[in-house]
Amino acid sequence: MPTSRPRPRAGLLPLRADRPGLCANRPGLLADRPGLLAGCLRPGAGRPRPRAGALAALLAVVAVCAGDALARVFPFGHHTRSVNDLGNQFVPFHARLWDLLHGDADGGVLLNWSSGYGTSFLPDLGTYLTSPFALLVGVFPRDRIDLAVYVVTVLKTASAAALMALLLLTLRGGRWWAAGMLGGSYALCGWSLAEASYNPMWLDGLIALPVLCLAAEWARTGRRPVAAPLLVAVMWVANFYTAYMATLGAALVLAARLFTERDDRRTAVRALGRAARTVGLGIGLSAPVLVPVYLGTKHAYPGWDRPFAAAGWSDVLARLLPATYTFFTPALFIGTGTLLLACALAFQRAVPGRERWTWAGLVAGVALSLQWEPTHLLWHAFATPNGSPYRQTFVLAGLVVIAAWVSVAHGLPDRRALAGGCAVLALIAAGAGFSALITQWTYPLFAVGLVASLGALLLVGRGRRWTVLAAALLIGAQAGQAAATTAFVDRARLNRLDHYAPWGERQRAQADVVARADDWPRTRTDPGREQTTTNDPLLLGGQGGAYYSSHTPAVLTDTMRALGAGWTSNGRAVQSLDNPVTDAIFSVGARVHRPRDPYQAWNAPDDRPVTVDRAPVPPLVTVRPPGTPVPYGRSPFRNQEKLLGSRVYTVPETALRAAGGGAVADRGADDYGVGRGTYTLTATCPAGTEAYLWAPGLFGSARLAPARSGDGSDPPGDGPVRSGDGSEEVWFRGKPPAKRAPVQRLGVVGGGGAVRVALVSTRAGTVPHGAVGCLDRTRLASAVAELRRTGASAVRVTADGVRAELPAGSSGTVVLAAPRIAGWRCQGRPAGSHLGLVAVPVPADGTTVSCTFRPPGLRAGLAAGAGSLAVLMATGAVLAYRRRTGPGTDTGTGAGAGTGAEAEAGTEVRAGRPEAVRAS
């Protein structure tokens, strides 16, 4: 329970340096307190927090937008900003959120029918879309989804800046414009500009750090026991991953505050208990989202497994400076002015030694923890990230900003302190000189920022006009360096990372075609293999097999691999499989074919029109004969037949020869080993069948024609390209395990039955012995007709399940054409699996089958959330009762003070201890 603080006795007046009216009414109180008098007379001292927050937010918005405009990236120029997962994941997921908000989604909050033939959506929602800011996408037109995500990104950055400024003034009073500048420098740190700007959910962690530090401060002073857990819950729901890191950072800040404020042991223990209660209740309130997200990661395909490798120290020092970039080093840029103040802290004699060395030591310790593997694992929840390995860097940026604020809030650094800070900066710049990350802009920007910041700090206090000039220099230097770094990073990312075109005419035309072809839930409509992003079903509509997420289920990846599908991102980005057999299996009645994306440079020119291939397919729910199916083997052609239930392929023996006619050696028991060069693969199939090639480890091309000499360049992407002699040249981009090429159609086998495949390999790879499969369309049609005859007569799809009516007399196994991910229940029991698909025995007492989906952990999360809410409501009731019955009891609802927490209690901080001030 919150501790009560005694009200000031009669004759005692609380001094509020941020309320000059009180000071003006009691001039005698300040005769021997010039520091408080200066605070009362400081311009804008009556409204320091709103002004500081507004300045910080404005600084962040101006710098980010100016940098993007300088780089001419969207929405200020023709260069896309949809780099890496922003274009491939996050924009499509925000489009899905738009559909949910407008009632246009296939599925709901629990189940996503659009992607991966049916996947759990709550883990994706909790990972990417539960930030309160994400809801703003609903007010934009859907074809402006890229602009909506950009606006959300900028607003998050501005909010983080404003909240950090608020935190600084809560920790200790000071000049509002200095707090605003430092708040802006936090939001404009290198991590925000280089990493989080294209991972917008990470920006919720940037917001969470100052918010959780405020909650920790309330816990320390025994205030707001209801509001604090609610804020913790909002932060953990918004993005649990970065909120976890921010919670660790807030714990360190709380520990530093308890140590520097010299709280006695009993007070410190009670404060820590309140903080633990606050965090525990907040996490409990977030459990309905948090638990399913956590279990979603446990059921996901593993993806990358990269050991941690510490960055070189010269590179680490270089990342402190402006205009540097690389993917595998910590983005530590914070602005030269902020860095100067932080470096001067150790030499700032106006700051009490205990406080000075605590904050300086905390910054140094956290910086070292970034480079040590045990603490690296602690920061990342004991799992090395798949991508950037320094995702906790924003916590260090926040601590540097707090250290800078401590340095300036106690009084301006004197010349000795500034000289010491400049010496440290000189050492940093010298050490960074050994790094290859230094660019032609780094040292000029650093030098200009240092001169401007140093000059500004020397001008402050020389008069109001000089102070205004000093503020303009500090703020301008921060804005200029941040804008230049933003522009540099924008262009560097485009040169180093994959990127995708924003919504344009291509996407609009494709979405229109998909919408016209859509016949869900009678059959599925796949937006096509010629993808713009791996999440095209979310972006363009339809119900395809493509899906890319941190929660891509292992069962989906394994099943699609067995059927011959391709992937990228080491198995987490599953691609659509353009194959008539799998279309029949998954009830894809319409498949869109479109030109290859001209935005991607590796794609060959493609002037094909957008077309829709339609075919009769079984319903979403089919009935299979009794018995246990034979498990999958190695051949995707045989695996497709097992899942279809009929033999439709001829899989002949093959022979592979090099260009000179020599035999090719095997690599392992089941594959030919190929290198850079041309090869001929031969086989024999029935005339008139369609030849398909399975070569998941081939990086090159294939066609049913004599091979042309390859030039060794990268192939333009998986899929067919019409060549000069009229045959289809099909490109494969297999680089296992990161990339896997799919099974692809080569063409129709000629009258003689000979299959001669010309292969061009541009790098070392493999071709399976059973690489060729020849499809008999007549057999496929017969198999489809039988499944249609015995399949469900009516299917009703809901936002969280399926209900199907079966023909009378059905027997065997009911199979739902959806991956058997964890959470499916049929007829009140956990669903079975039929070769990776949802299955249940035909009910003996009826012809109706009902299956529902509930994400794993949802029930436990709801129980934990309900319990936490009950405790919080009880706390609120007790506080309300005390407010009515005990007028002298502190209810814990007071506002924070601009001069620190003690000022709220009506005290002045002197030598680290609260002391009441008697009115004259």
Side-chain angles (χ1 to χ4, degrees), residues 196-219:
S197 60
Y198 69 95
N199 293 275
M201 68 280 183
W202 290 359
L203 288 171
D204 292 297
L206 198 71
I207 295 172
L209 180 62
V211 169
L212 295 179
C213 287
L214 284 170
E217 188 69 11
W218 295 342

Side-chain angles (χ1 to χ4, degrees), residues 850-867:
S850 178
C851 296
T852 58
F853 179 79
R854 182 187 296 117
L858 179 59
R859 182 175 296 176
L862 288 172

Side-chain angles (χ1 to χ4, degrees), residues 259 711 767:
F259 184 72
D711 60 2
V767 175

Side-chain angles (χ1 to χ4, degrees), residues 140-527:
F140 288 81
R142 195 181 190 282
D143 61 358
R144 303 294 289 170
I145 191 66
D146 295 274
L147 179 62
V149 173
Y150 181 77
V151 170
V152 167
T153 300
V154 174
L155 287 178
K156 286 184 179 183
T157 306
S159 299
L163 288 165
M164 178 54 77
L166 172 64
L167 172 65
L168 297 179
L169 287 172
T170 300
L171 296 178
R172 181 166 296 279
R175 292 172 171 81
W176 65 267
W177 56 265
M181 186 276 290
L182 290 174
S185 71
Y186 166 71
L188 295 170
C189 67
W191 179 88
S192 172
L193 302 179
E195 304 291 343
S197 60
Y198 69 95
N199 293 275
M201 68 280 183
W202 290 359
L203 288 171
D204 292 297
L206 198 71
I207 295 172
L209 180 62
V211 169
L212 295 179
C213 287
L214 284 170
E217 188 69 11
W218 295 342
R220 188 182 73 84
T221 56
R223 295 181 294 136
R224 293 184 172 89
V226 174
L230 291 175
L231 284 181
V232 173
V234 171
M235 295 299 101
W236 275 75
V237 168
N239 186 250
F240 80 97
Y241 187 52
T242 51
Y244 163 79
M245 301 173 189
T247 302
L248 295 182
L252 294 175
V253 171
L254 174 60
R257 289 284 289 167
L258 291 173
F259 184 72
T260 57
E261 296 301 320
R262 298 178 183 271
D263 293 332
D264 59 65
R265 180 175 299 179
R266 182 180 179 184
T267 301
V269 170
R270 296 180 69 180
L272 291 174
R274 288 191 296 266
R277 170 190 174 277
T278 297
V279 173
L281 284 178
I283 294 177
L285 290 171
S286 70
V289 172
L290 184 62
V291 177
V293 168
Y294 172 76
L295 292 180
T297 63
K298 296 302 180 182
H299 291 105
Y301 194 75
W304 296 103
D305 186 13
R306 189 191 306 274
F308 173 69
W313 281 107
S314 61
D315 290 342
V316 172
L317 295 177
R319 295 308 304 277
L320 285 164
L321 307 181
T324 61
Y325 176 76
T326 186
F327 191 71
F328 294 106
T329 56
L332 294 170
F333 166 76
I334 198 69
T336 304
T338 302
L339 201 57
L340 174 61
L341 289 172
C343 292
L345 174 61
F347 309 95
Q348 169 64 303
R349 288 175 291 186
V351 181
R354 187 185 186 95
E355 189 169 359
R356 180 168 71 229
W357 293 112
T358 295
W359 289 108
L362 182 59
V363 169
V366 172
L368 291 173
S369 76
L370 269 62
Q371 294 283 85
W372 189 37
E373 185 171 10
T375 48
H376 160 85
L377 292 173
L378 174 64
W379 281 113
H380 294 94
F382 303 99
T384 296
N386 288 330
S388 171
Y390 290 97
R391 301 180 181 183
Q392 79 279 40
T393 306
F394 72 97
V395 177
L396 178 58
L399 295 178
V400 171
V401 166
I402 294 175
W405 177 248
V406 171
S407 178
V408 74
H410 280 272
L412 292 174
D414 56 18
R415 294 180 183 273
R416 172 182 174 274
L418 291 177
C422 288
V424 175
L425 286 182
L427 291 175
I428 290 174
F434 297 96
S435 171
L437 303 181
I438 297 296
T439 67
Q440 61 178 336
W441 299 104
T442 300
Y443 283 130
L445 286 170
F446 171 75
V448 170
L450 179 59
V451 170
S453 302
L454 184 60
L457 292 173
L458 293 174
L459 290 175
V460 176
R462 293 178 178 269
R464 179 163 182 168
R465 291 183 178 179
W466 292 110
T467 299
V468 171
L469 177 60
L473 283 173
L474 277 172
I475 295 169
Q478 177 64 48
Q481 285 189 330
T485 300
T486 299
F488 175 82
V489 168
D490 282 345
R491 302 305 291 271
R493 284 197 303 253
L494 286 173
N495 292 330
R496 303 185 191 189
L497 302 179
D498 57 306
H499 43 91
Y500 305 85
W503 186 281
E505 181 59 27
R506 170 181 166 86
Q507 290 89 338
R508 185 199 62 76
Q510 293 165 354
D512 289 346
V513 170
V514 171
R516 289 196 299 269
D518 196 7
D519 194 24
W520 177 257
R522 290 183 58 191
T523 62
R524 287 185 168 105
T525 298
D526 195 306

Side-chain angles (χ1 to χ4, degrees), residues 534-550:
T534 310
N535 279 312
D536 273 3
L538 298 179
L539 189 65
L540 305 176
Q543 308 83 31
Y547 181 51
Y548 176 32
S549 167
S550 298

Side-chain angles (χ1 to χ4, degrees), residues 896-917:
T899 57
E902 289 77 10
E904 181 62 22
T907 59
E908 176 192 357
V909 177
R910 175 177 295 174
R913 303 292 298 173
E915 176 183 319
V917 181

